[in-house]
Amino acid sequence: MTLAIYPGSFNPVTNGHLDISRRAARLFDTVIMAVFDRPNKSLIFSTAERLEMLRTAVRGLPNVRAESYTELTVAYARQRGATAIVRGLRTAADFEYEFQMSQINQTLAPEIDYVTLMSDHKYTFVSSSMVRELASYGADISWIVPPHVEAALRHVYKNKTV
Ligand code: ADP
């Protein structure tokens, strides 16, 4: 049985993240999308909210589940018995960061492979921060997030003036 974890902030989950998880689900028996509790980023959703949105988003994917974690990613991956850590690549800018992370993680846990996947071209420019910005201006985000995430973002920004 092969198990991969796909860690991230998922603040919030987008169709780009889900595209990567669908691809990973074809390669591994089980994929755990793992919400990191304390990313070095400003968050508009709590860990519980990010996890709940992720759980709803992966309901239709039988071998994908969502969890949250607080420890070092490789420690969490080891504890789950993962053989791989999955990440997504959009542009060369992502590559620089992911390459550095792969070197660190593979040094700390040589038995866990770092696998990067490319999403469909429709999602190359999609990021959680872009989704949040579009939502804050009331722009259409239905093409880049699941309906329940769109509703949550509308709720967050409904009282903000644009
Ligand atoms: P992090 O804070 O760990 O970067 P994110 O939630 O922003 O967490 O992203 C998690 C992973 O998903 C990262 O590897 C990121 O590059 C990847 N990712 C995010 N959006 C997309 C997308 N639209 N297409 C492909 N990969 C993506």
Side-chain angles (χ1 to χ4, degrees), residues 107-143:
T107 302
L108 294 173
E111 78 283 13
I112 300 175
D113 286 312
Y114 203 86
V115 176
T116 50
L117 298 171
M118 275 72 114
S119 59
D120 187 274
H121 65 89
K122 289 198 289 291
Y123 307 121
T124 304
F125 296 100
V126 173
S127 64
S128 298
S129 58
M130 188 197 86
V131 165
R132 292 194 305 271
E133 184 159 0
L134 288 176
S136 77
Y137 287 98
D140 179 22
I141 51 168
S142 59
W143 56 285

Short mmCIF file of all heavy atoms in Angstrom, two decimals, residues 107-143:
data_model
loop_
_atom_site.label_atom_id
_atom_site.label_comp_id
_atom_site.label_asym_id
_atom_site.label_seq_id
_atom_site.Cartn_x
_atom_site.Cartn_y
_atom_site.Cartn_z
N THR A 107 16.77 15.27 3.11
CA THR A 107 17.90 15.13 4.02
C THR A 107 17.39 14.63 5.38
O THR A 107 17.97 13.73 5.99
CB THR A 107 18.64 16.48 4.18
OG1 THR A 107 19.05 16.90 2.89
CG2 THR A 107 19.84 16.37 5.11
N LEU A 108 16.27 15.22 5.81
CA LEU A 108 15.71 14.83 7.11
C LEU A 108 15.07 13.44 7.08
O LEU A 108 15.10 12.72 8.07
CB LEU A 108 14.65 15.86 7.56
CG LEU A 108 15.16 17.26 7.87
CD1 LEU A 108 13.97 18.20 8.13
CD2 LEU A 108 16.08 17.24 9.09
N ALA A 109 14.47 13.09 5.95
CA ALA A 109 13.77 11.79 5.84
C ALA A 109 14.08 11.18 4.47
O ALA A 109 13.25 11.25 3.55
CB ALA A 109 12.27 12.00 6.02
N PRO A 110 15.26 10.56 4.34
CA PRO A 110 15.67 10.03 3.02
C PRO A 110 14.74 8.94 2.48
O PRO A 110 14.71 8.70 1.28
CB PRO A 110 17.07 9.45 3.28
CG PRO A 110 17.47 9.90 4.63
CD PRO A 110 16.26 10.31 5.38
N GLU A 111 13.96 8.32 3.35
CA GLU A 111 13.09 7.22 2.89
C GLU A 111 11.78 7.76 2.28
O GLU A 111 11.00 6.98 1.72
CB GLU A 111 12.79 6.27 4.06
CG GLU A 111 11.74 6.71 5.07
CD GLU A 111 12.22 7.76 6.09
OE1 GLU A 111 13.30 8.36 5.92
OE2 GLU A 111 11.49 7.99 7.06
N ILE A 112 11.54 9.06 2.39
CA ILE A 112 10.29 9.64 1.85
C ILE A 112 10.61 10.45 0.58
O ILE A 112 11.41 11.38 0.63
CB ILE A 112 9.58 10.54 2.90
CG1 ILE A 112 9.25 9.71 4.15
CG2 ILE A 112 8.33 11.17 2.31
CD1 ILE A 112 8.65 10.51 5.29
N ASP A 113 9.98 10.07 -0.54
CA ASP A 113 10.22 10.80 -1.79
C ASP A 113 9.38 12.06 -1.85
O ASP A 113 8.26 12.10 -1.34
CB ASP A 113 9.90 9.91 -3.00
CG ASP A 113 10.97 8.86 -3.19
OD1 ASP A 113 12.16 9.22 -3.16
OD2 ASP A 113 10.61 7.67 -3.32
N TYR A 114 9.93 13.06 -2.50
CA TYR A 114 9.24 14.34 -2.67
C TYR A 114 8.78 14.37 -4.13
O TYR A 114 9.60 14.36 -5.05
CB TYR A 114 10.25 15.46 -2.40
CG TYR A 114 9.65 16.77 -1.99
CD1 TYR A 114 9.33 17.04 -0.66
CD2 TYR A 114 9.43 17.77 -2.93
CE1 TYR A 114 8.81 18.27 -0.28
CE2 TYR A 114 8.90 19.00 -2.56
CZ TYR A 114 8.60 19.24 -1.23
OH TYR A 114 8.08 20.44 -0.86
N VAL A 115 7.46 14.37 -4.33
CA VAL A 115 6.91 14.26 -5.69
C VAL A 115 6.19 15.55 -6.05
O VAL A 115 5.28 15.97 -5.33
CB VAL A 115 5.92 13.07 -5.74
CG1 VAL A 115 5.25 12.98 -7.11
CG2 VAL A 115 6.63 11.77 -5.40
N THR A 116 6.59 16.19 -7.15
CA THR A 116 5.88 17.41 -7.56
C THR A 116 5.09 17.11 -8.82
O THR A 116 5.57 16.46 -9.74
CB THR A 116 6.84 18.59 -7.80
OG1 THR A 116 7.89 18.17 -8.66
CG2 THR A 116 7.43 19.12 -6.52
N LEU A 117 3.86 17.62 -8.86
CA LEU A 117 2.97 17.39 -9.99
C LEU A 117 2.51 18.73 -10.56
O LEU A 117 2.41 19.71 -9.82
CB LEU A 117 1.74 16.59 -9.52
CG LEU A 117 2.02 15.18 -8.97
CD1 LEU A 117 0.75 14.59 -8.35
CD2 LEU A 117 2.54 14.26 -10.07
N MET A 118 2.24 18.75 -11.84
CA MET A 118 1.75 19.97 -12.48
C MET A 118 0.24 19.88 -12.68
O MET A 118 -0.26 18.86 -13.15
CB MET A 118 2.40 20.17 -13.86
CG MET A 118 3.75 20.86 -13.79
SD MET A 118 4.96 19.76 -13.12
CE MET A 118 6.02 19.52 -14.48
N SER A 119 -0.45 20.98 -12.36
CA SER A 119 -1.91 20.98 -12.54
C SER A 119 -2.26 21.28 -13.99
O SER A 119 -1.40 21.64 -14.79
CB SER A 119 -2.55 22.02 -11.62
OG SER A 119 -2.05 23.29 -11.92
N ASP A 120 -3.53 21.15 -14.32
CA ASP A 120 -4.04 21.51 -15.63
C ASP A 120 -3.73 22.99 -15.90
O ASP A 120 -3.71 23.80 -14.96
CB ASP A 120 -5.56 21.29 -15.63
CG ASP A 120 -6.17 21.46 -16.99
OD1 ASP A 120 -6.50 22.60 -17.35
OD2 ASP A 120 -6.31 20.45 -17.69
N HIS A 121 -3.55 23.32 -17.18
CA HIS A 121 -3.19 24.72 -17.53
C HIS A 121 -4.21 25.74 -17.01
O HIS A 121 -3.87 26.89 -16.74
CB HIS A 121 -3.00 24.86 -19.05
CG HIS A 121 -4.26 24.63 -19.83
ND1 HIS A 121 -5.14 25.65 -20.11
CD2 HIS A 121 -4.80 23.51 -20.33
CE1 HIS A 121 -6.16 25.14 -20.78
NE2 HIS A 121 -5.99 23.85 -20.92
N LYS A 122 -5.47 25.29 -16.83
CA LYS A 122 -6.51 26.22 -16.34
C LYS A 122 -6.16 26.79 -14.96
O LYS A 122 -6.63 27.84 -14.58
CB LYS A 122 -7.85 25.49 -16.17
CG LYS A 122 -8.55 25.10 -17.44
CD LYS A 122 -10.03 24.79 -17.17
CE LYS A 122 -10.27 23.50 -16.40
NZ LYS A 122 -9.96 22.26 -17.13
N TYR A 123 -5.35 26.03 -14.20
CA TYR A 123 -5.08 26.42 -12.82
C TYR A 123 -3.66 26.93 -12.57
O TYR A 123 -3.28 27.18 -11.43
CB TYR A 123 -5.36 25.22 -11.89
CG TYR A 123 -6.73 24.64 -12.09
CD1 TYR A 123 -6.90 23.32 -12.44
CD2 TYR A 123 -7.87 25.45 -11.97
CE1 TYR A 123 -8.17 22.78 -12.66
CE2 TYR A 123 -9.14 24.93 -12.18
CZ TYR A 123 -9.27 23.60 -12.53
OH TYR A 123 -10.53 23.09 -12.74
N THR A 124 -2.92 27.10 -13.65
CA THR A 124 -1.52 27.52 -13.51
C THR A 124 -1.39 28.84 -12.75
O THR A 124 -0.42 29.06 -12.04
CB THR A 124 -0.87 27.64 -14.91
OG1 THR A 124 -1.04 26.39 -15.55
CG2 THR A 124 0.59 27.95 -14.82
N PHE A 125 -2.37 29.71 -12.92
CA PHE A 125 -2.26 31.03 -12.28
C PHE A 125 -3.14 31.15 -11.04
O PHE A 125 -3.36 32.24 -10.52
CB PHE A 125 -2.60 32.14 -13.29
CG PHE A 125 -1.61 32.17 -14.42
CD1 PHE A 125 -1.91 31.58 -15.64
CD2 PHE A 125 -0.36 32.73 -14.24
CE1 PHE A 125 -0.99 31.56 -16.66
CE2 PHE A 125 0.57 32.72 -15.26
CZ PHE A 125 0.27 32.12 -16.48
N VAL A 126 -3.63 30.01 -10.57
CA VAL A 126 -4.55 30.03 -9.42
C VAL A 126 -3.78 29.82 -8.12
O VAL A 126 -3.02 28.87 -7.98
CB VAL A 126 -5.63 28.93 -9.57
CG1 VAL A 126 -6.47 28.83 -8.31
CG2 VAL A 126 -6.50 29.20 -10.78
N SER A 127 -3.99 30.74 -7.18
CA SER A 127 -3.42 30.57 -5.84
C SER A 127 -4.50 30.98 -4.83
O SER A 127 -5.44 31.71 -5.17
CB SER A 127 -2.20 31.48 -5.66
OG SER A 127 -2.62 32.83 -5.74
N SER A 128 -4.33 30.51 -3.59
CA SER A 128 -5.30 30.88 -2.56
C SER A 128 -5.32 32.39 -2.36
O SER A 128 -6.39 32.99 -2.16
CB SER A 128 -4.96 30.20 -1.24
OG SER A 128 -5.03 28.80 -1.37
N SER A 129 -4.14 33.03 -2.46
CA SER A 129 -4.11 34.48 -2.23
C SER A 129 -4.85 35.23 -3.35
O SER A 129 -5.57 36.19 -3.09
CB SER A 129 -2.67 34.99 -2.09
OG SER A 129 -1.94 34.67 -3.23
N MET A 130 -4.71 34.73 -4.60
CA MET A 130 -5.44 35.37 -5.70
C MET A 130 -6.95 35.19 -5.53
O MET A 130 -7.72 36.13 -5.74
CB MET A 130 -4.99 34.75 -7.03
CG MET A 130 -5.55 35.48 -8.22
SD MET A 130 -5.41 34.46 -9.68
CE MET A 130 -6.89 33.52 -9.58
N VAL A 131 -7.35 34.00 -5.09
CA VAL A 131 -8.77 33.73 -4.87
C VAL A 131 -9.32 34.68 -3.79
O VAL A 131 -10.40 35.26 -3.94
CB VAL A 131 -8.97 32.25 -4.44
CG1 VAL A 131 -10.34 32.02 -3.86
CG2 VAL A 131 -8.73 31.32 -5.63
N ARG A 132 -8.53 34.86 -2.71
CA ARG A 132 -8.99 35.75 -1.63
C ARG A 132 -9.12 37.17 -2.13
O ARG A 132 -10.08 37.88 -1.82
CB ARG A 132 -8.01 35.70 -0.44
CG ARG A 132 -7.98 34.37 0.29
CD ARG A 132 -7.27 34.51 1.63
NE ARG A 132 -5.94 35.07 1.51
CZ ARG A 132 -4.82 34.36 1.32
NH1 ARG A 132 -4.89 33.04 1.22
NH2 ARG A 132 -3.64 34.95 1.23
N GLU A 133 -8.16 37.60 -2.94
CA GLU A 133 -8.20 38.97 -3.44
C GLU A 133 -9.41 39.18 -4.36
O GLU A 133 -10.14 40.17 -4.24
CB GLU A 133 -6.90 39.32 -4.17
CG GLU A 133 -6.90 40.77 -4.61
CD GLU A 133 -5.52 41.33 -4.87
OE1 GLU A 133 -4.54 40.60 -4.70
OE2 GLU A 133 -5.47 42.52 -5.23
N LEU A 134 -9.63 38.23 -5.28
CA LEU A 134 -10.80 38.33 -6.17
C LEU A 134 -12.08 38.37 -5.35
O LEU A 134 -12.97 39.19 -5.61
CB LEU A 134 -10.83 37.15 -7.15
CG LEU A 134 -9.79 37.15 -8.27
CD1 LEU A 134 -9.89 35.86 -9.09
CD2 LEU A 134 -9.95 38.36 -9.18
N ALA A 135 -12.17 37.48 -4.34
CA ALA A 135 -13.38 37.42 -3.51
C ALA A 135 -13.60 38.74 -2.78
O ALA A 135 -14.73 39.20 -2.62
CB ALA A 135 -13.28 36.27 -2.52
N SER A 136 -12.50 39.37 -2.35
CA SER A 136 -12.63 40.63 -1.59
C SER A 136 -13.21 41.75 -2.46
O SER A 136 -13.77 42.71 -1.95
CB SER A 136 -11.28 41.03 -1.00
OG SER A 136 -10.46 41.59 -1.99
N TYR A 137 -13.08 41.61 -3.80
CA TYR A 137 -13.65 42.61 -4.71
C TYR A 137 -14.99 42.15 -5.29
O TYR A 137 -15.53 42.78 -6.18
CB TYR A 137 -12.67 42.92 -5.85
CG TYR A 137 -11.49 43.74 -5.40
CD1 TYR A 137 -10.27 43.14 -5.10
CD2 TYR A 137 -11.61 45.13 -5.23
CE1 TYR A 137 -9.19 43.88 -4.66
CE2 TYR A 137 -10.54 45.88 -4.78
CZ TYR A 137 -9.33 45.25 -4.50
OH TYR A 137 -8.28 46.00 -4.06
N GLY A 138 -15.46 41.03 -4.80
CA GLY A 138 -16.75 40.52 -5.28
C GLY A 138 -16.68 39.93 -6.68
O GLY A 138 -17.72 39.75 -7.33
N ALA A 139 -15.48 39.63 -7.18
CA ALA A 139 -15.35 39.07 -8.53
C ALA A 139 -15.79 37.61 -8.56
O ALA A 139 -15.87 36.96 -7.52
CB ALA A 139 -13.89 39.18 -8.99
N ASP A 140 -16.05 37.12 -9.77
CA ASP A 140 -16.48 35.73 -9.95
C ASP A 140 -15.33 34.77 -9.61
O ASP A 140 -14.25 34.85 -10.20
CB ASP A 140 -16.91 35.52 -11.41
CG ASP A 140 -17.34 34.09 -11.68
OD1 ASP A 140 -17.71 33.38 -10.71
OD2 ASP A 140 -17.31 33.68 -12.85
N ILE A 141 -15.56 33.87 -8.65
CA ILE A 141 -14.54 32.88 -8.30
C ILE A 141 -15.07 31.45 -8.46
O ILE A 141 -14.41 30.49 -8.09
CB ILE A 141 -14.00 33.08 -6.85
CG1 ILE A 141 -15.14 33.18 -5.85
CG2 ILE A 141 -13.06 34.27 -6.77
CD1 ILE A 141 -14.71 33.09 -4.39
N SER A 142 -16.27 31.36 -9.07
CA SER A 142 -16.92 30.04 -9.16
C SER A 142 -16.12 29.06 -10.02
O SER A 142 -16.29 27.85 -9.89
CB SER A 142 -18.34 30.18 -9.72
OG SER A 142 -18.28 30.77 -11.00
N TRP A 143 -15.26 29.57 -10.90
CA TRP A 143 -14.46 28.70 -11.78
C TRP A 143 -13.19 28.19 -11.10
O TRP A 143 -12.52 27.32 -11.63
CB TRP A 143 -14.11 29.45 -13.07
CG TRP A 143 -13.39 30.76 -12.81
CD1 TRP A 143 -13.94 31.93 -12.36
CD2 TRP A 143 -11.99 31.02 -12.98
NE1 TRP A 143 -12.98 32.90 -12.21
CE2 TRP A 143 -11.77 32.38 -12.60
CE3 TRP A 143 -10.90 30.27 -13.41
CZ2 TRP A 143 -10.50 32.97 -12.63
CZ3 TRP A 143 -9.64 30.87 -13.44
CH2 TRP A 143 -9.47 32.20 -13.05
#
